[in-house]
Amino acid sequence: MTGRTIAIGDIHGCKAALCALLEAIAPAPDDTIVTLGDYVDRGPDSRGVMDTLIALADRCRLVPLLGNHDEMLLEICNGQAGLYDEWLLFGGNATVDSYDGRVPEAVPPEHLDFLRGCRSFYESDRHIFLHGSYLADVPMEQQPPDVLRWDSVKPREPGAHCSGKTVIVGHTAQRDGEILDLGYLLCIDTCCYGDGWLTALEVNTGQTWQADKTGRLRE
């Protein structure tokens, strides 16, 4: 029996929301969970989110994608100290707090290994998963990395991808807490770190789960 394929939107340090979703989803070994990136920054427990995702990889098939916030943290930990002040303005101060005020020194090697192992995109038979946006007429393996991680799908909608597959993205925060559905594209960043929700979507059935940053499930 084929397992579920579930995408999870931008977590942004909201460990309580992530744990509530995982309890509700109850991942099985044959399930595939695709996390769309932005695990760190803005929310209260980036370190805890990283630990939770690393543990999740033992419960199911986890396919983590790299978000622009994750990329900035990784670059700083790789020695690009010149990005530090800019990163703080993007919400990195919350990540520094979660690592006891010491970044990059206190970031565990297993967290860096996790980020280095994240993909830029993932394709299944019917869907494409990525963090930011894409060029509609370009095959996925030729997409510019900056577009995949930094571009937004609003206000300039990218159009349907030339593969004909439905694209699942994060990054472009839907501050009303609702999934953006363009038919050919769904954006499931529903702004958990703000007053919205962390969204999980079973892409083949349309089943959704949502939790706020306190861990309360949406009814």
Side-chain angles (χ1 to χ4, degrees):
M1 180 177 178
T2 303
R4 300 171 294 176
T5 300
I6 299 169
I8 296 179
D10 301 34
I11 303 168
H12 276 306
C14 296
K15 179 186 176 182
L18 176 60
C19 290
L21 286 188
L22 293 177
E23 183 176 355
I25 292 168
D30 60 347
D31 289 335
T32 298
I33 293 185
V34 185
T35 50
L36 298 182
D38 279 3
Y39 312 118
V40 302
D41 298 351
R42 293 180 171 162
D45 195 0
S46 294
R47 181 171 191 156
V49 166
M50 296 293 292
D51 287 333
T52 301
L53 291 173
I54 290 169
L56 178 61
D58 292 329
R59 300 174 56 188
C60 63
R61 184 189 180 213
L62 178 65
V63 182
L65 308 184
L66 191 70
N68 59 308
H69 286 262
D70 314 312
E71 182 177 52
M72 291 186 74
L73 174 60
L74 190 56
E75 289 175 343
I76 289 166
C77 291
N78 286 340
Q80 298 189 40
L83 294 173
Y84 194 85
D85 290 342
E86 179 183 1
W87 174 58
L88 294 180
L89 296 176
F90 274 86
N93 56 323
T95 299
V96 172
D97 289 344
S98 76
Y99 286 102
D100 301 321
R102 297 185 301 116
V103 172
E105 298 82 1
V107 180
E110 58 268 27
H111 290 194
L112 297 179
D113 288 344
F114 178 87
L115 292 178
R116 292 183 183 119
C118 289
R119 306 186 189 192
S120 293
F121 66 91
Y122 172 67
E123 280 191 81
S124 65
D125 290 342
R126 296 171 52 199
H127 298 88
I128 296 170
F129 304 82
L130 56 92
H131 177 67
S133 190
Y134 57 94
L135 303 180
D137 58 349
V138 176
M140 290 307 301
E141 62 273 10
Q142 298 175 23
Q143 294 281 337
D146 284 353
V147 172
L148 293 175
R149 285 195 274 280
W150 286 91
D151 279 13
S152 299
V153 298
K154 289 285 188 177
R156 187 184 65 187
E157 297 172 1
H161 189 256
C162 58
S163 66
K165 296 179 180 181
T166 301
V167 184
I168 313 296
V169 307
H171 185 61
T172 305
Q174 305 303 303
R175 300 186 184 280
D176 62 359
E178 303 298 330
I179 294 173
L180 172 66
D181 186 351
L182 300 180
Y184 62 87
L185 177 150
L186 294 103
C187 178
I188 63 169
D189 177 5
T190 44
C191 202
C192 184
Y193 73 89
D195 295 322
W197 307 90
L198 180 62
T199 294
L201 169 69
E202 208 297 317
V203 298
N204 294 308
T205 66
Q207 182 178 3
T208 60
W209 303 260
Q210 291 185 308
D212 69 12
K213 59 189 174 185
T214 70
R216 177 176 64 91
L217 290 173
R218 187 174 189 177
E219 297 181 1

